[in-house]
Amino acid sequence: MQILVTGGMGYIGSHTVVELIQSGHEVIILDNLYNANIDVLDRIEKLTGVRPKFYEVDILDREGLERAFKENHFEAIIHFAGYKAVGESVRIPLTYYKNNISGSINLYEMMDKYHVDNIVFSSSATVYGDNFEVPFKEEYGQGDTTNPYGTTKKFNEIILSDFALANKDISVVNLRYFNPIGAHPSGLLGEDPKGIPNNLVPYIAKVATGELDHLNVFGDDYDTIDGTGVRDYIHVVDLAKAHLKAVEYACKHKGAEVINVGSGKGYSVLEVLHAYEKACGKTLKYEIHDRRPGDIATSYADTQKAKELLGFEVELGIDEMCRDSYNYMIHNLEDQKNR
């Protein structure tokens, strides 16, 4: 099957591309390299023996987007492309709305024009907001989102559901995943964002390698085990495998489906920090700061629907997540020294 992966050079996208290729699918990547590096193509090729076709295109670029559709015959799309930092979205909401919604509509219009019927959308647990009790269940629907990033995911789910309702040939799987961390066990793929990381584990990783002095922990007065925020973390390789199962499911069903993808277990910020200390063999400094706007206390998934519809369950735990993350960071520090 020929599959377009938007944002396929990014963290989750690149791991998913590897799983797709290793399962025999033909993958075409579209990415603007805003938060990714071109050498990811070399790494994908090293892991799979295949160098996927790549378009350096922004989804806001309709002409470039259409060129990709004209030159290929996609049977399905996995849509990752978009800005993804909660805190940043609070500071620059218009940028997030323009990119994540307007750009996505461009993609959906090309789907419609070129009769590509199957799509897996990279949604998020942020669409639940803070309205519901944990574990979050798909049947809750959508809540009042607490930040613009989550709102863009919420709107995209609505748009895609309406698209499927209006066109009976369309199949949509909205994957509401929780907090992906870890890296490919080879050390070739992982998360190393440009600049100061917005997410927890990449930040811890840079503290562990000495690139940053300490971790900033935002809030220690939540109603949780140690006062710090609790999240459901999933290994990125597990998450990539969920996308493989989701795209195969989408091609056999019609309509719109919403499915959580997580481990079904919550870990606090300090629990993750201590697991990372175990992985790297050293004590890591941290400082407590005030809560960030838009954050909630606790978030973890009910994963029953993923088991029933996709046959998906996680295989890797928090220790493996932190171990593989640190391995990736050390591997890349060595690469930088050898250049």
Side-chain angles (χ1 to χ4, degrees):
M1 180 162 46
Q2 189 183 79
I3 301 171
L4 173 66
V5 180
T6 72
M9 298 285 279
Y11 174 46
I12 306 169
S14 61
H15 286 82
T16 301
V17 167
V18 167
E19 294 297 326
L20 291 169
I21 293 172
Q22 290 178 336
S23 295
H25 297 294
E26 179 186 357
V27 177
I28 291 85
I29 298 173
L30 188 143
D31 199 302
N32 67 357
L33 300 181
Y34 170 79
N35 197 28
N37 296 305
I38 190 63
D39 67 357
V40 168
L41 270 182
D42 297 329
R43 297 176 179 223
I44 290 171
E45 184 177 15
K46 188 172 182 179
L47 285 169
T48 66
V50 174
R51 191 175 186 85
K53 186 188 292 187
F54 170 59
Y55 291 85
E56 187 175 346
V57 171
D58 193 301
I59 56 173
L60 288 169
D61 175 7
R62 288 183 62 88
E63 184 177 330
L65 194 57
E66 184 153 22
R67 184 173 72 253
F69 277 80
K70 282 182 177 178
E71 294 176 359
N72 301 279
H73 297 89
F74 306 128
E75 295 168 73
I77 296 170
I78 302 179
H79 180 29
F80 294 108
Y83 298 151
K84 63 176 186 176
V86 169
E88 183 181 64
S89 77
V90 175
R91 295 194 302 273
I92 51 172
L94 295 183
T95 300
Y96 270 67
Y97 288 127
K98 181 176 181 180
N99 185 80
N100 292 10
I101 297 176
S102 298
S104 294
I105 289 174
N106 287 342
L107 177 69
Y108 308 150
E109 287 177 340
M110 293 302 162
M111 280 184 65
D112 194 34
K113 182 174 181 179
Y114 289 90
H115 307 291
V116 182
D117 295 335
N118 307 301
I119 185 168
V120 175
F121 174 62
S122 168
S123 192
S124 167
T126 56
V127 303
Y128 289 112
D130 57 1
N131 304 71
F132 308 113
E133 294 182 357
V134 291
F136 292 143
K137 301 178 181 181
E138 296 90 346
E139 65 195 52
Y140 290 163
Q142 298 173 325
D144 296 326
T145 48
T146 60
N147 55 77
Y149 164 74
T151 304
T152 68
K153 295 297 187 182
K154 177 178 178 176
F155 286 170
N156 267 284
E157 284 193 8
I158 293 170
I159 292 165
L160 282 168
S161 294
D162 286 343
F163 184 24
L165 190 63
N167 186 333
K168 300 304 181 184
D169 292 326
I170 295 295
S171 177
V172 174
V173 177
N174 291 307
L175 286 185
R176 288 181 183 168
Y177 42 82
F178 284 65
N179 294 268
I181 61 175
H184 197 276
S186 66
L188 288 172
L189 296 176
E191 186 171 22
D192 188 12
K194 299 173 183 177
I196 302 298
N198 290 295
N199 296 323
L200 175 62
V201 170
Y203 206 112
I204 296 175
K206 288 183 181 290
V207 175
T209 58
E211 294 178 67
L212 296 173
D213 177 68
H214 65 275
L215 171 69
N216 293 316
V217 177
F218 297 99
D220 66 346
D221 56 350
Y222 289 108
D223 184 18
T224 62
I225 187 171
D226 55 24
T228 64
V230 169
R231 298 291 181 269
D232 184 333
Y233 295 93
I234 178 172
H235 198 296
V236 67
V237 172
D238 277 333
L239 182 57
K241 291 176 180 177
H243 283 82
L244 172 63
K245 290 179 177 291
V247 77
E248 292 171 347
Y249 176 87
C251 292
K252 297 175 182 176
H253 298 80
K254 298 302 176 185
E257 197 69 72
V258 173
I259 304 174
N260 286 338
V261 185
S263 68
K265 177 177 175 59
Y267 295 94
S268 74
V269 172
L270 292 183
E271 286 178 318
V272 176
L273 177 68
H274 296 324
Y276 214 99
E277 289 176 329
K278 179 181 176 182
C280 70
K282 63 184 86 169
T283 300
L284 303 177
K285 292 170 58 178
Y286 67 93
E287 294 180 358
I288 302 296
H289 295 268
D290 292 339
R291 298 182 185 187
R292 292 182 302 187
D295 277 348
I296 61 176
T298 303
S299 170
Y300 61 92
D302 182 301
T303 59
Q304 188 60 36
K305 195 171 182 181
K307 294 175 187 176
E308 292 175 354
L309 296 189
L310 305 183
F312 172 76
E313 294 185 71
V314 299
E315 299 175 0
L316 302 166
I318 193 70
D319 288 339
E320 290 86 357
M321 298 179 211
C322 293
R323 177 202 66 198
D324 291 341
S325 169
Y326 186 61
N327 177 52
Y328 171 75
M329 295 300 291
I330 295 301
H331 187 279
N332 279 272
L333 283 175
E334 291 174 353
D335 279 355
Q336 292 168 16
K337 290 177 183 177
N338 294 330
R339 287 176 185 171

